[in-house]
Amino acid sequence: MDRCVVLVDAGYLLGAAASLLAGEPARSRISVDHAALIQELRERAEADTEQPLLRIYWFDGAPDRVPQPEHRRLRVMPRVTVRLGALTRSDGRWAQKGVDAAMHAELTELARNRACSDIVLVTGDGDLLPGLMDAKEHGVAVHLWAVQAADGDYNQSEDLVAEADERRVLDRAWITRAVRAKELIGPCAPPPAPGPEIAAILSAPLPESGAHGGSRGVTASPTSANGSTAGTPAAAPAAPAPGAPDATGPKGVPTPKDLAGLGRAHTSQPQQPAGATLRWSSDRGWVERGGPLEPPETASLPTLAQLTSAEQRWADREEDITAVSGDPFEVGQVFARRWTERLSSATHLQQVSREYPRIPHRIDGELLRYAARFGLLAHKDDQIDEHDRYAIRAGFWREVDTRTPSDRAASDDT
């Protein structure tokens, strides 16, 4: 068949691009416009081979083979197929497992089935040499593309280079059409400020005792329409009661320990016994708890699963696969949109809105479990990415706020 196929080793392409642009192979050091990159690959392949494109295969690793947000964006693009191998950590370094084998299998299968006349390989791994030679034996022209090396030397197997029919180098000018280096923060430079939505949650005061049904310290809207912070404190915080968390310290989303301290400071209930565990929520579920921390009106709120029919569940899954990119903020918005649209009573929405910035734990737990489907909340460099959690919740509150204008106005008037 007179058409071309592109096989991309994402680990090689993006790692080499990071070395070229940022001085080290860490992909976290670069920002990638995947739509532009795919378009550039397609145009370059069709120009070099003088054949129309059949398909681009994108081979990459992912923890537990769970598609990450970038993989979800890629796999719904026209003429793009994503193949995932495992991503494991050994001796402090991440390594792909199964990617080379998958590329080898695809390369030989395409050649044996005469699915194309030309194959473009974007890789540097010598393990693909047998597959490359097999493809040539079946009459396929093999084009090997390299990313310009930072030190001017080869970053590909010399045997692979020698066996290829054609070779091209993707230089810095080509790479920078879709990839750029992120700005490096020096050791003395302050960390980047969070976006306005997340900053509003981080700066929200801890809820006062018994305030589960009262007005919030800030409005439900983390930002206004133009992106500026909309909420302002309704009143100066009162002096902390004995045993309550220090409100003068760094602010943040209240933890279970904070909420427990507030509850004990204003009630006669005994303190929690040593070793007791309070969990607000997690990506794996929630722990029911008693006491005044969860008022009955929010503890009985229906979950999205309870509000969703079998037909809606199928449609939701279809939307998740084809339309939701997996951006943390977007994930929070999608969850909140579905939940608010299916509520039978506006009272439930007002109850949740008054709880800002604390999402009731059974709803929050379901939200985080939903986010886990998109590869969020996973371990990144041996740490849970708390920034993603804040972004997920900020997206949730943004969507809730747009659907509760009367409650927001009432909060602004207080």
Side-chain angles (χ1 to χ4, degrees):
M1 297 292 290
D2 293 334
R3 51 194 182 185
C4 67
V5 171
V6 182
L7 305 183
V8 179
D9 180 351
Y12 166 76
L13 173 60
L14 300 182
S19 294
L20 178 64
L21 302 181
E24 59 180 279
R27 288 163 61 171
S28 59
R29 292 291 311 281
I30 57 175
S31 176
V32 183
D33 183 342
H34 289 90
L37 181 58
I38 291 298
Q39 185 61 30
E40 291 292 337
L41 287 169
R42 178 171 186 167
E43 292 177 358
R44 183 67 179 266
E46 290 180 336
D48 278 10
T49 64
E50 299 181 350
Q51 302 294 346
L53 177 76
L54 170 62
R55 188 173 299 115
I56 295 175
Y57 288 90
W58 186 273
F59 295 87
D60 203 0
D64 298 324
R65 290 186 168 85
V66 176
Q68 301 300 293
E70 65 184 84
H71 303 138
R72 301 183 68 86
R73 289 192 291 269
L74 284 163
R75 68 184 185 180
V76 296
M77 293 180 185
R79 302 297 181 104
V80 176
T81 296
V82 176
R83 296 281 188 259
L84 294 180
L87 191 63
T88 60
R89 193 169 180 85
S90 177
D91 298 328
R93 300 182 63 183
W94 289 103
Q96 295 182 157
K97 299 294 184 183
V99 172
D100 296 337
M103 289 189 69
H104 181 278
E106 199 68 56
L107 175 60
T108 55
E109 195 71 13
L110 288 168
R112 288 172 182 171
N113 291 328
R114 302 186 182 277
C116 57
S117 60
D118 297 75
I119 292 179
V120 175
L121 283 177
V122 186
T123 185
D125 198 330
D127 290 345
L128 285 176
L129 181 61
L132 186 153
M133 298 173 66
D134 192 30
K136 290 173 62 177
E137 292 297 323
H138 285 83
V140 174
V142 179
H143 305 250
L144 183 65
W145 289 1
V147 176
Q148 178 183 341
D151 55 7
D153 200 357
Y154 282 128
N155 54 13
Q156 291 179 305
S157 162
E158 292 190 17
D159 290 335
L160 206 62
V161 171
E163 281 292 334
D165 294 307
E166 301 284 348
R167 184 170 184 261
R168 294 287 183 270
V169 176
L170 306 176
D171 59 16
R172 180 187 294 268
W174 189 92
I175 292 293
T176 52
R177 294 176 187 174
V179 182
R180 64 178 179 83
K182 295 180 180 177
E183 293 184 8
L184 179 63
I185 302 173
C188 298
E197 302 277 0
I198 300 175
I201 289 182
L202 292 173
S203 63
L206 296 176
E208 298 177 1
S209 175
H212 292 291
S215 62
R216 296 176 297 219
V218 297
T219 67
S221 175
T223 61
S224 61
N226 61 8
S228 60
T229 302
T232 55
D246 183 7
T248 62
K251 294 179 180 180
V253 176
T255 65
K257 182 178 178 181
D258 296 330
L259 296 172
L262 287 169
R264 291 194 300 267
H266 296 276
T267 65
S268 58
Q269 292 204 3
Q271 296 196 3
Q272 296 288 338
T277 300
L278 287 174
R279 290 180 63 189
W280 182 4
S281 64
S282 76
D283 53 331
R284 296 183 179 178
W286 64 84
V287 174
E288 298 292 349
R289 61 190 180 205
L293 303 179
E294 190 78 351
E297 59 269 20
T298 55
S300 61
L301 284 171
T303 63
L304 179 60
Q306 293 171 334
L307 297 169
T308 303
S309 65
E311 292 79 7
Q312 289 172 323
R313 189 174 298 109
W314 188 93
D316 290 348
R317 195 59 175 161
E318 180 76 8
E319 182 185 16
D320 290 343
I321 295 172
T322 60
V324 182
S325 71
D327 174 77
F329 189 85
E330 179 193 12
V331 167
Q333 285 186 302
V334 170
F335 180 92
R337 170 173 57 80
R338 293 173 182 170
W339 186 72
T340 54
E341 286 178 349
R342 295 167 192 175
L343 287 173
S344 59
S345 172
T347 303
H348 293 320
L349 188 57
Q350 293 169 353
Q351 289 170 350
V352 168
S353 181
R354 287 194 292 267
E355 291 293 307
Y356 180 88
R358 176 186 175 277
I359 303 174
H361 75 282
R362 68 199 310 254
I363 305 300
D364 194 41
E366 189 181 34
L367 168 63
L368 295 182
R369 291 195 301 279
Y370 172 66
R373 296 181 187 175
F374 298 89
L376 303 173
L377 312 179
H379 286 272
K380 299 179 181 179
D381 296 329
D382 291 336
Q383 292 184 355
I384 296 294
D385 194 331
E386 287 297 320
H387 185 275
D388 282 355
R389 292 177 182 263
Y390 287 127
I392 293 164
R393 290 167 176 143
F396 176 90
W397 283 120
R398 181 60 173 171
E399 190 68 21
V400 167
D401 178 58
T402 61
R403 296 173 183 273
T404 54
S406 59
D407 184 70
R408 183 175 68 247
S411 178
D412 290 341
D413 293 339
T414 53

